[in-house]
Amino acid sequence: MTAVVTVDGVSKRYGDVVALEDVSFSLRENAIHGLLGRNGAGKTTLMQILTGQTLASAGRVDLFGGSPYENEAALSHVSFIKESQAYPNAFRVGHVLRTAADLFPHWDGDYARRLLGDLSVPTNRYVRKLSRGMKSALGVTIGLASRAPLTIFDEPYLGLDAVARQIFYDRLLADYAAHPRTVILSMHLIDEVGDLIERVLLLDGGHLVLDEDADVLRGQVVAATGPEKAVDAFAAGRTELHRERLGDLVRATIRGSFGGRERSLAEALGVAVDPLSLQQFMVSMTGRVSQ
Amino acid sequence: MSRVLAAARLHTVAWPLTLSWPWGIMASSFLLNLAIFGAIGDRMEGDAKTGGLLSLYITMAIVAGSSVTQVFPYALGMSVTRRTFYAATALVMTALSIAFAVPLYLLKLLEQATGGWGLSMRFFAVDLIDVHNGLLQVLVYAVPLLFVCFFGMFSGVVFARWGINGVFAMTVAGLLGLGLVALVITWSGAWRTAGHWFADQPPAALFAGWPMLLVLALAGGGYALLRRAQA
């Protein structure tokens, strides 16, 4: 197993603001990673540092065996689609396709045109005249058709309708199967992509709070609902992430492994145990509600 | 190198919009001057010159500036390094300066052959820049073009790094710098010497030699600033 990207103790400060604090992880080759976190958690900053577009205040990044900063060989294997991508005013969609063909070594032009057709993006229109959703569809197309060994999507679905989003997820999965590569999906709509994600990275306030296989996570976090005493008994000795009160009942978000023994215990105590989706899990991990 | 050429295409792929403007604006200036000269007719004495050629240079400075401000964020997003982007931009601007200087020279020859377009108008063959060696004449057109291009690029880089405040600060610094030079010359009573110095320079030195030094300084400075520009 090769690490495509290794991040070691990366921090980023803007004046007094800490955007990232001592973040370390590595990305596996040919896996789909979900980079999750709330707005302002540092997701975009982290991806800009990975691609050498922004410089870290401290720490080290290794991208395909070198620092990403001004690293032509490494960067030519990267396609970073960000929601805020600026396009020159003079560019039509066709210009974007031609420059992408020049700059991405594995670019598939036919595939890009088909995909734009499916997403109903006219190729002769100025990019600045595209709607929010069409601009996102163009970004998605560049990201998929570039077939870059490291492909990063930062909030790629903004403005896309449900049909276009589904097309994106389907094509991503199909193209990923045909041309395996390392993918980072930074998204809020976690449940829509929950099945795609193989590895979860969760950022909260600039800290990496979780780096875990999605499969492990899926069975590992539950919501336990019941009378307070029963929930207390069930939660004893486990990591409780969150607790809320619903009238007479208490709902606790608990992390740990839950097998048959735990289930019979819950039954005996009268506690309902429900597995949490990735999205519910993220909310319970990062949601801070003022009391 | 091939990646530099690929990045150069970022500037040329939408060329009708960016590259036709300098010539379009100069052509309109030329036609306007021609109309005015035609209207004034014989009442003018001697060969009168116009400053219309400047329009090409001003437009090129703007084109060069926006080639950085418009294309750099896109290039960075398309995984192009700052170094490659800068090399590609410098390459395109140098090629354009030379490619524009040759037709300017030919138009100058045509102007002189037709007696100033039949109206004794000097649009391309302005006194100061009129030299008799063809190659030198091309340089006298090309190097100032290079200068305005690299000045435009430098300003574009300042904008890319510090936004509009950076450009204003640069303008203030430039004005103060020039003012300081003028002040020093005035204090030391050296205006005559300075005037003589300029008058003594042959056109080739004034329009090709010295500007080339400024071009190199701007090119190096622009690159140094762009190296640390962030998305």
Side-chain angles (χ1 to χ4, degrees):
Chain A
M1 189 163 57
T2 329
V4 172
V5 174
T6 307
V7 173
D8 188 15
V10 162
S11 298
K12 176 70 178 178
R13 287 176 198 85
Y14 296 99
D16 290 343
V17 181
V18 178
L20 292 172
E21 181 73 45
D22 195 22
V23 170
S24 301
F25 61 89
S26 56
L27 298 186
R28 279 180 302 169
E29 191 174 16
N30 300 339
I32 299 183
H33 303 76
L35 179 59
L36 314 179
R38 304 183 63 188
N39 286 327
K43 302 189 297 294
T44 300
T45 304
L46 178 60
M47 288 179 284
Q48 285 179 332
I49 290 173
L50 287 188
T51 52
Q53 296 190 9
T54 296
L55 308 171
S57 310
R60 226 175 55 81
V61 176
D62 184 288
L63 175 74
F64 295 112
S67 160
Y69 176 67
E70 293 294 86
N71 185 342
E72 192 88 73
L75 288 177
S76 65
H77 292 117
V78 175
S79 177
F80 176 21
I81 304 307
K82 57 175 181 287
E83 170 266 323
S84 58
Q85 179 60 56
Y87 296 90
N89 278 333
F91 272 32
R92 296 172 191 270
V93 172
H95 295 134
V96 174
L97 296 185
R98 261 181 274 164
T99 53
D102 287 338
L103 292 167
F104 294 114
H106 308 291
W107 178 257
D108 186 336
D110 293 335
Y111 177 79
R113 284 184 185 276
R114 275 203 311 278
L115 191 51
L116 282 179
D118 293 345
L119 293 166
S120 316
V121 179
T123 54
N124 61 347
R125 191 172 300 177
Y126 283 108
V127 179
R128 64 189 147 87
K129 302 253 182 185
L130 294 180
S131 68
R132 170 82 263 171
M134 282 185 185
K135 221 175 263 184
S136 292
L138 176 60
V140 158
T141 302
I142 299 170
L144 289 177
S146 59
R147 303 249 161 87
L150 176 61
T151 303
I152 305 176
F153 292 101
D154 182 13
E155 307 282 350
Y157 51 73
L158 289 180
L160 287 182
D161 58 39
V163 175
R165 288 206 300 277
Q166 196 54 52
I167 292 177
F168 168 48
Y169 306 141
D170 291 347
R171 297 306 169 85
L172 173 62
L173 205 55
D175 208 55
Y176 169 73
H179 307 271
R181 55 194 123 157
T182 306
V183 177
I184 304 177
L185 277 175
S186 162
M187 306 191 87
H188 290 130
L189 299 175
I190 300 156
D191 280 347
E192 287 194 0
V193 294
D195 296 340
L196 297 177
I197 294 174
E198 296 166 76
R199 183 99 188 161
V200 173
L201 297 164
L202 181 59
L203 275 177
D204 186 28
H207 296 264
L208 186 69
V209 293
L210 186 86
D211 177 4
E212 193 72 81
D213 274 344
D215 279 341
V216 173
L217 227 47
R218 281 186 190 107
Q220 220 187 34
V221 182
V222 297
T225 314
E228 185 163 15
K229 279 195 172 149
V231 172
D232 281 345
F234 182 73
R238 301 176 206 282
T239 314
E240 190 172 321
L241 302 169
H242 185 69
R243 177 175 285 219
E244 62 192 320
R245 194 169 288 281
L246 311 154
D248 292 340
L249 297 178
V250 161
R251 182 158 75 187
T253 306
I254 300 169
R255 193 178 165 183
S257 61
F258 298 93
R261 212 159 61 92
E262 285 74 13
R263 297 207 177 268
S264 24
L265 172 66
E267 211 165 313
L269 288 167
V271 172
V273 175
D274 303 302
L276 287 183
S277 72
L278 274 180
Q279 176 144 331
Q280 291 165 320
F281 170 67
M282 196 207 96
V283 169
S284 71
M285 285 285 283
T286 59
R288 272 175 297 272
V289 182
S290 48
Q291 297 293 318
Chain B
M1 186 61 196
S2 68
R3 200 151 170 92
V4 172
L5 290 179
R9 288 243 294 169
L10 292 171
H11 294 300
T12 57
V13 72
W15 67 269
L17 217 68
T18 47
L19 303 190
S20 52
W21 277 120
W23 286 90
I25 288 172
M26 189 186 66
S28 66
S29 162
F30 177 78
L31 292 176
L32 198 64
N33 274 295
L34 211 57
I36 292 170
F37 271 68
I40 296 174
D42 297 336
R43 281 170 284 160
M44 245 172 336
E45 289 171 19
D47 281 3
K49 44 194 171 291
T50 82
L53 190 55
L54 265 181
S55 62
L56 179 76
Y57 286 75
I58 293 168
T59 318
M60 277 306 287
I62 295 168
V63 166
S66 61
S67 75
V68 174
T69 59
Q70 289 275 311
V71 183
F72 176 66
Y74 177 69
L76 212 54
M78 299 292 274
S79 301
V80 175
T81 61
R82 298 159 183 83
R83 183 176 53 243
T84 301
F85 171 78
Y86 197 80
T89 312
L91 179 73
V92 168
M93 291 304 153
T94 305
L96 282 181
S97 297
I98 295 166
F100 282 10
V102 173
L104 285 179
Y105 170 59
L106 297 177
L107 284 166
K108 180 211 155 198
L109 292 182
L110 191 63
E111 177 170 290
Q112 288 171 329
T114 57
W117 315 99
L119 294 167
S120 301
M121 178 175 93
R122 299 181 67 172
F123 190 90
F124 298 101
V126 192
D127 286 335
L128 272 176
I129 59 167
D130 191 4
V131 293
H132 293 290
N133 177 314
L135 184 65
L136 212 54
Q137 184 70 61
V138 170
L139 279 179
V140 163
Y141 284 124
V143 177
L145 264 177
L146 263 184
F147 170 73
V148 298
C149 285
F150 277 87
F151 178 75
M153 282 168 62
F154 185 89
S155 311
V157 169
V158 169
F159 181 83
R161 264 195 79 166
W162 293 291
I164 196 67
N165 284 323
V167 177
F168 283 139
M170 184 186 86
T171 311
V172 169
L175 284 174
L176 289 178
L178 288 176
L180 195 66
V181 171
L183 209 58
V184 168
I185 296 176
T186 308
W187 264 337
S188 53
W191 278 112
R192 281 176 69 89
T193 325
H196 280 305
W197 184 85
F198 275 104
D200 288 345
Q201 298 295 316
L206 207 52
F207 288 94
W210 295 112
M212 197 62 215
L213 285 180
L214 294 176
V215 166
L216 293 176
L218 283 170
Y223 180 54
L225 293 184
L226 191 73
R227 288 267 305 169
R228 307 299 285 182
Q230 304 187 30

